[in-house]
């Protein structure tokens, strides 16, 4: 099978149908898409309808397209594009390239069914269900991007709008918009303009999309009459564009479109910097002194309605699975302390924020160095900066709806001094890989009564295995699993030929270890998972999870299953799986017994 044979096969089938003909070159050029061949076909419908069946150079790997000859149906029938092409199959439908005639047959049959529904007017609700697509197709202005951080499902209300030459950002109030800007652009701004959100009670078909001020005011007077005076006042007096969001409920959620009212200049009219016109009279009244109705009737003529699409940028949409992840609402309210923002902690924090965590406080006194760039979230542009400062900027810029992101470029002990200060967090995560630091944290945890859970996560030498331990309120402490000097009782590997310091390491803080990002990502994912389960309240008892890396055979030293690991009940030697073990109190623990 090749494309030529497929086209020949298709042509044979079409030629056998009544009243068909191959399209001429100039007919194919009528389309902006690059169609390479096509046929005119009469369809078997109650009304006489002819269509063009068209193929692109990618045929038979993509389906042929069907186009109506009559191009007046755009935006009066759903599923019709500007050039008359029909959306018959859902987007991204896979077709069988080895049966081109079967594909064409089912396409024509589907087209007949679709057109019959369209002729009968049965699909008008599809305009509402796919409002975003049709509003986009009918938009006048695609140069400006409109972002909304309004929570979904708002009722009609005043909104705050901030504009730049590149984008507009719209929020429920000035504070939320300025906060978003501070995060996104890392700059302070001090004012926003007022706009309006109008929740419409009825769906709009494209023919009803407002295209002039009168049509827009008619919609507003029906569904938000209390805004009419302010909006009319603005039209009459201001040269500033006025942003109005139309919100329309549909079966699959709320749809949004933006209209901007822009005042056009009259003949010989100039506007001063402070927004005053040089045209001083309206129907004999000095500007601004005429009754509102007189001003309005004058100015609507000079006001243009510009329609644009609205892109949702609110936290729930951006980070909560487009509003469909029930975990988001819980995580958004929580506050987590991350101690240690090295390669492990940086990715872990990024993942938690993406999962919906609202508030993070980061603690790490280290500076970013070039040798960190191979496995750290940060790159060369931050070398020489405090890791927590650079991460704060990165997280705020990338996730500007974040509730709070705190950088503490110091050791955690300088900020979390008392046991009570642990209570300010829903979870503490330590990825320092330093026994000294984690032994101290465990000590403080015991003093606090372990009301706030702590997740400790670290890698064994050469990232040969990763561990994540969640210590909950009623159970042993971290020390229960370690010797006084920090030897882990469940380490998976021993390194018989390694220097003793390496063997005795409980953590991953050794920069000279030659593991790379691919060796640590699975362990990071395991720690993220355990942390999220903690935050969602799904973990009731202290838990230890282990992930064993593949034996890479390139470790400088041969690894061997440790005796300690082989004495763990139900110990696992399978590579690349997560094993879970309970974490219980050790009766002779130096700290908690
Ligand atoms: Zn203990």
């Amino acid at each position: 099978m090749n494309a030529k044979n497929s086209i020949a096969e298709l042509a044979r089938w079409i030629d056998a149908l009544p009243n068909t003909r191959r399209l001429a070159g100039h007919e194919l050029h009528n389309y902006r898409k690059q169609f390479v061949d096509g046929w005119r076909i009469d369809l078997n419908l109650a009304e006489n309808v002819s269509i063009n069946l068209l193929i692109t150079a990618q045929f038979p790997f993509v389906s042929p397209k069907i186009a109506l000859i009559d191009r007046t149906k755009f935006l009066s029938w759903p599923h019709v594009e500007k050039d008359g092409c029909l959306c018959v199959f859902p987007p991204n439908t896979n077709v069988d390239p080895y049966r081109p005639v079967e594909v064409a047959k089912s396409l024509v049959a589907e087209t007949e069914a679709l057109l019959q529904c369209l002729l009968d007017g049965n699909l008008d609700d599809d305009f509402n269900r796919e409002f975003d697509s049709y509003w986009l197709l009918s938009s006048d202005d695609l140069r400006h991007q409109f972002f909304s951080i309004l929570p979904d499902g708002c009722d009609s209300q005043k909104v705050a709008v901030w504009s730049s030459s590149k984008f507009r950002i719209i929020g429920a109030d000035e504070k939320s918009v300025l906060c978003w800007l501070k995060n996104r652009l890392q700059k302070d701004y001090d004012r926003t303009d007022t706009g309006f959100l109008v929740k419409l009670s009825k769906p709009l078909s494209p023919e009803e999309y407002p295209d002039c001020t009168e049509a827009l005011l008619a919609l507003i007077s029906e569904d938000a009459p209390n805004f009419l005076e302010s909006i009319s006042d603005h039209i009459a007096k201001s040269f500033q564009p006025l942003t109005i969001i139309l919100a329309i409920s549909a079966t699959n959620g709320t749809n949004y479109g933006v209209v901007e009212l822009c005042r056009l200049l009259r003949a010989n009219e100039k506007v001063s910097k402070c927004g005053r016109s040089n045209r001083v009279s309206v129907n004999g009244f000095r500007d601004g002194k005429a009754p509102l109705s007189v001003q309005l009737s004058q100015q609507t003529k000079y006001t243009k309605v510009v329609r644009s699409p609205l892109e949702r940028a609110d936290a729930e949409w951006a980070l909560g699975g487009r509003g469909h992840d029930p975990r988001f609402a819980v995580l958004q309210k929580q506050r987590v302390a991350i101690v240690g923002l090295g390669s492990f902690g940086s990715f872990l924090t990024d993942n938690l924020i993406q999962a919906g965590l609202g508030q993070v406080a980061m603690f790490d006194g280290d500076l970013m160095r070039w040798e960190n760039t191979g496995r750290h979230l940060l790159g060369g542009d931050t070398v020489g900066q405090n890791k927590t400062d650079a991460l704060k900027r990165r997280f705020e810029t990338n996730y500007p709806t974040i509730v709070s992101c705190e950088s503490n470029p110091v050791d955690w002990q300088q900020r979390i001094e008392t046991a009570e200060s642990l209570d300010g967090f829903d979870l503490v995560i330590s990825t320092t890989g330093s026994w000294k630091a984690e032994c101290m944290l465990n000590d403080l945890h015991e003093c606090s009564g372990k009301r706030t859970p702590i997740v400790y996560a670290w890698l064994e030498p050469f990232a040969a295995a990763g561990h994540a331990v969640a210590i909950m309120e009623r159970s042993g402490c971290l020390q229960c699993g370690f010797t006084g000097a920090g030897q882990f009782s469940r380490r998976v590997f021993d390194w018989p030929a390694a220097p003793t310091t390496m063997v005795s390491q409980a953590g991953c803080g050794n920069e000279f270890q030659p593991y790379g990002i691919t060796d640590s990502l699975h362990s990071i994912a395991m720690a993220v998972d355990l942390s999220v389960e903690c935050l969602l309240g799904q973990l009731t008892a202290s838990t230890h999870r282990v992930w064993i890396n593949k034996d890479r055979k390139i470790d400088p030293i041969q690894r061997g299953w440790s005796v300690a690991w082989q004495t763990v009940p139900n110990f696992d030697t399978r590579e690349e799986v997560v094993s879970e073990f309970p974490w219980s109190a050790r009766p002779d623990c130096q700290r908690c017994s």
Side-chain angles (χ1 to χ4, degrees):
M1 196 277 314
N2 61 29
K4 229 173 162 182
N5 294 345
S6 302
I7 295 173
E9 215 182 299
L10 185 64
R12 272 198 300 281
W13 172 66
I14 293 174
D15 287 344
L17 299 173
N19 300 327
T20 64
R21 66 173 176 83
R22 207 151 191 156
L23 295 177
H26 71 270
E27 290 173 298
L28 294 173
H29 289 142
N30 276 337
Y31 296 93
R32 270 173 52 202
K33 293 185 199 75
Q34 298 300 305
F35 293 121
V36 295
D37 214 337
W39 293 263
R40 174 70 48 88
I41 299 177
D42 286 345
L43 292 182
N44 191 18
L45 293 171
E47 282 180 49
N48 192 12
V49 180
S50 298
I51 49 105
N52 286 339
L53 185 146
L54 300 149
I55 57 174
T56 65
Q58 279 128 38
F59 179 80
F61 298 99
V62 300
S63 161
K65 282 291 267 184
I66 300 284
L68 294 173
I69 316 299
D70 174 7
R71 292 198 181 186
T72 63
K73 298 300 185 189
F74 173 59
L75 295 181
S76 80
W77 277 359
H79 311 294
V80 182
E81 294 169 23
K82 216 169 202 158
D83 56 5
C85 283
L86 289 170
C87 308
V88 181
F89 290 146
N92 306 321
T93 300
N94 289 328
V95 296
D96 184 346
Y98 304 104
R99 299 168 70 208
V101 172
E102 294 307 310
V103 171
K105 275 182 186 170
S106 86
L107 177 69
V108 170
E110 288 283 323
T111 302
E112 285 175 342
L114 173 67
L115 285 174
Q116 196 56 61
C117 287
L118 289 170
L119 288 165
D120 297 343
N122 287 344
L123 294 178
D124 288 352
D125 190 47
D126 288 9
F127 272 137
N128 198 32
R129 246 173 3 99
E130 293 169 28
F131 174 86
D132 286 355
S133 314
Y134 297 107
W135 184 269
L136 176 69
L137 286 170
S138 76
S139 287
D140 312 292
D141 179 12
L142 299 176
R143 286 168 307 152
H144 293 106
Q145 283 182 295
F146 288 82
F147 300 138
S148 161
I149 51 167
L150 287 160
D152 193 28
C154 285
D155 282 323
S156 294
Q157 59 172 267
K158 280 189 180 175
V159 295
V161 183
W162 184 89
S163 310
S164 76
S165 58
K166 292 200 180 85
F167 68 87
R168 313 258 197 274
I169 174 82
I170 301 155
D173 49 41
E174 185 164 82
K175 193 177 159 218
S176 64
V177 170
L178 296 180
C179 185
W180 189 92
L181 286 167
K182 166 97 177 140
N183 286 339
R184 180 76 190 99
L185 304 177
Q186 297 287 299
K187 247 172 109 174
D188 285 309
Y189 294 90
D190 55 8
R191 61 174 295 274
T192 55
D193 297 315
T194 299
F196 296 89
L197 169 82
V198 176
K199 191 166 183 184
L200 300 181
S201 54
K202 285 198 297 278
L204 291 181
S205 69
E207 284 154 344
E208 297 164 313
Y209 295 168
D211 56 358
C212 63
T213 313
E214 286 84 356
L216 180 67
L217 291 176
L219 278 179
I220 294 167
S221 67
E222 203 164 307
D223 286 310
N226 49 329
F227 294 160
L228 212 53
E229 198 182 326
S230 314
I231 293 174
S232 304
D233 194 52
H234 184 100
I235 295 171
K237 292 177 183 161
S238 178
F239 283 84
Q240 286 279 335
L242 178 66
T243 305
I244 298 170
I245 299 176
L246 302 179
I248 302 154
S249 296
T251 46
N252 50 348
T254 309
N255 295 312
Y256 300 92
V258 185
V259 286
E260 229 175 21
L261 282 171
C262 304
R263 176 76 154 68
L264 305 170
L265 291 179
R266 287 172 276 175
N268 302 323
E269 188 174 35
K270 286 196 183 101
V271 182
S272 68
K273 267 190 189 151
C274 56
R276 282 183 177 277
S277 167
N278 64 340
R279 293 273 304 250
V280 290
S281 71
V282 175
N283 281 10
F285 293 96
R286 279 178 60 79
D287 236 7
K289 301 292 183 204
L292 192 60
S293 58
V294 175
Q295 291 186 41
L296 189 61
S297 68
Q298 279 296 307
Q299 308 301 53
T300 47
K301 283 185 232 157
Y302 300 103
T303 307
K304 200 170 119 192
V305 168
V306 181
R307 292 193 299 262
S308 302
L310 181 73
E311 210 173 309
R312 277 183 67 182
D314 56 289
E316 192 188 12
W317 181 261
L319 302 173
R322 302 188 200 192
H324 289 281
D325 189 341
R327 294 168 295 188
F328 172 79
V330 182
L331 294 172
Q332 193 59 181
K333 292 194 193 90
Q334 290 179 307
R335 181 160 185 254
V336 173
I338 319 273
V339 176
L341 275 300
S343 57
F344 205 109
S346 61
F347 279 101
L348 177 136
T349 310
D350 193 44
N351 282 190
L352 286 176
I353 297 170
Q354 286 186 317
L357 176 65
Q359 304 175 61
V360 288
M362 301 179 285
F363 302 85
D364 194 323
D366 280 356
L367 300 181
M368 187 67 189
R369 301 168 67 95
W370 279 110
E371 62 267 31
N372 300 144
T373 54
R375 59 191 198 206
H376 200 279
L377 181 68
L378 294 171
D381 59 335
T382 62
V383 165
Q385 299 175 13
N386 281 111
K387 286 176 180 172
T388 55
D389 287 346
L391 284 168
K392 174 180 158 71
R393 269 195 302 281
R394 181 186 167 104
F395 294 147
E396 287 177 344
T397 311
N398 287 346
Y399 317 112
T401 53
I402 192 165
V403 180
S404 81
C405 184
E406 193 186 311
S407 163
N408 298 282
V410 291
D411 285 345
W412 65 270
Q413 296 94 326
Q414 294 184 37
R415 297 287 159 87
I416 305 176
E417 288 168 298
T418 62
E420 289 71 40
S421 44
L422 288 177
D423 290 342
F425 301 103
D426 296 288
L427 174 70
V428 175
I429 303 172
S430 174
T431 65
T432 61
S434 148
W435 174 244
K436 182 187 75 182
E438 296 192 335
C439 190
M440 287 168 77
L441 185 58
N442 180 56
D443 188 65
L444 200 66
H445 200 205
E446 274 298 307
C447 294
S448 75
K450 301 207 290 275
R451 287 182 296 271
T452 298
I454 299 186
V455 167
Y456 299 88
W458 70 95
L459 297 168
E460 291 198 12
F462 309 107
H467 297 271
V469 176
I471 304 288
M472 313 294 286
E473 190 170 355
R474 272 180 294 277
S475 75
C477 69
L478 181 72
Q479 185 71 63
C480 290
F482 287 81
T483 66
Q487 174 96 303
F488 185 37
S489 64
R490 290 181 185 174
R491 67 191 177 280
V492 179
F493 295 111
D494 274 339
W495 307 82
T500 40
T501 51
M502 193 173 280
V503 176
S504 66
Q505 279 287 336
C508 63
N510 299 308
E511 291 182 352
F512 57 84
Q513 287 184 358
Y515 72 84
I517 184 68
T518 53
D519 300 311
S520 54
L521 277 177
H522 287 90
S523 299
I524 295 170
M526 173 178 73
V528 171
D529 233 17
L530 189 68
S531 304
V532 169
E533 283 174 43
C534 258
L535 289 168
L536 294 175
Q538 293 169 345
L539 216 61
T540 47
S542 295
T543 302
H544 172 208
R545 290 194 190 150
V546 186
W547 189 86
I548 299 172
N549 208 347
K550 269 187 301 205
D551 191 357
R552 297 181 305 151
K553 305 290 183 201
I554 56 160
D555 298 339
I557 312 147
Q558 192 66 43
R559 72 187 191 185
W561 301 104
S562 74
V563 176
W565 185 242
Q566 292 175 65
T567 54
V568 172
N570 304 318
F571 78 97
D572 208 330
T573 55
R574 286 175 302 162
E575 294 171 339
E576 301 193 291
V577 292
V578 173
S579 315
E580 182 174 302
F581 303 90
W583 185 272
S584 32
R586 174 161 56 89
D588 59 344
C589 172
Q590 298 89 324
R591 180 61 187 84
C592 72
S593 65

